[in-house]
Amino acid sequence: LPFYYVTIDGLVAYRLGETGANLRKAFDFASGHCGVLFFDELDALAKDRDDDHDVGEARRIVNSLLQILDSEVEPPEGGERPIVIAATNAGAMIDRAVWRRFDLAVEFANPDEAMAREYLRRRFSGAFDLAPPTTYGGNYPVEATNCVSMAGLERAVAIAQKAAVLDGRRVVSDKELTDAIMRCKDRVSD
């Protein structure tokens, strides 16, 4: 099946009501082409309607999304209803009515120490090396990965490797990696 990645910046519009119309266009296109419609960062479109900080447009967008998901409009001849997949890292912010429109919710837990260790081993087995253990910690500072998602861990590795490149090195110290992991944790908790 074709995979259609729907970008939020391609949907959200400045003018009132235009975002809902853009949502409809995305679904109509996918229905006519029989495919998977993927919404990343669903929380940007499906924020809880009970949020006191909303000025009304977010509620209208959620209502439009619900109506589209519920619509029984026949797709064009030869077309089918799209398979809708969405992703978010802020599930608690999604309106409960939107959650009910999905048949399945899959939650990806943060990596445990074994997963983090294996991921770091693989990431540092190529162009970059992780320095031998120091008194600062173990060779793979997995104890620092507690509460960090795989995306956060990937970001931390990129930060540490970038620092090494800028310093003319191909080796990342465990302290550099741990510090980068902690920076990513701080970003998530802010």
Side-chain angles (χ1 to χ4, degrees), residues 81-100:
R81 291 185 57 99
I83 296 170
V84 180
I85 299 175
T88 183
N89 60 354
M93 293 177 61
I94 305 289
D95 193 277
R96 289 183 304 263
V98 173
W99 277 127
R100 289 193 300 268

Side-chain angles (χ1 to χ4, degrees), residues 6 10-12 17-33 37 39 45 60-76 80-82 84:
V6 181
L11 288 178
V12 177
E18 203 169 313
T19 302
N22 290 342
L23 268 170
R24 169 58 68 194
K25 288 176 189 175
F27 275 87
D28 287 348
F29 175 83
S31 292
H33 294 86
L37 199 56
F39 292 88
L45 292 173
R60 284 186 284 278
I61 293 169
V62 172
N63 287 337
S64 293
L65 179 61
L66 291 171
Q67 288 174 348
I68 292 167
L69 289 171
D70 286 343
S71 69
E72 296 298 325
V73 176
E74 286 295 315
E80 295 182 24
R81 291 185 57 99
V84 180

Side-chain angles (χ1 to χ4, degrees), residues 133-139 143 174:
T134 66
T135 56
Y136 183 77
N139 195 23
E143 62 279 350
D174 57 340

Side-chain angles (χ1 to χ4, degrees), residues 88-178:
T88 183
N89 60 354
M93 293 177 61
I94 305 289
D95 193 277
R96 289 183 304 263
V98 173
W99 277 127
R100 289 193 300 268
R101 283 4 185 240
F102 287 88
D103 296 327
L104 180 66
V106 179
E107 187 171 332
F108 294 94
N110 289 340
D112 59 19
E113 285 191 10
M115 289 172 66
R117 183 175 288 107
E118 177 61 18
Y119 173 77
L120 292 172
R121 185 190 66 74
R122 289 180 184 198
R123 281 303 307 251
F124 287 103
S125 64
F128 282 91
D129 293 318
L130 192 60
T134 66
T135 56
Y136 183 77
N139 195 23
Y140 297 118
V142 294
E143 62 279 350
T145 64
N146 185 23
C147 298
V148 175
S149 67
M150 285 302 279
L153 191 53
E154 170 69 20
R155 177 82 180 119
V157 168
I159 289 169
Q161 289 177 337
K162 181 179 172 182
V165 166
L166 291 173
D167 199 30
R169 296 177 286 115
R170 289 186 52 223
V171 175
V172 174
S173 75
D174 57 340
K175 180 177 181 343
E176 282 178 309
L177 182 56
T178 300

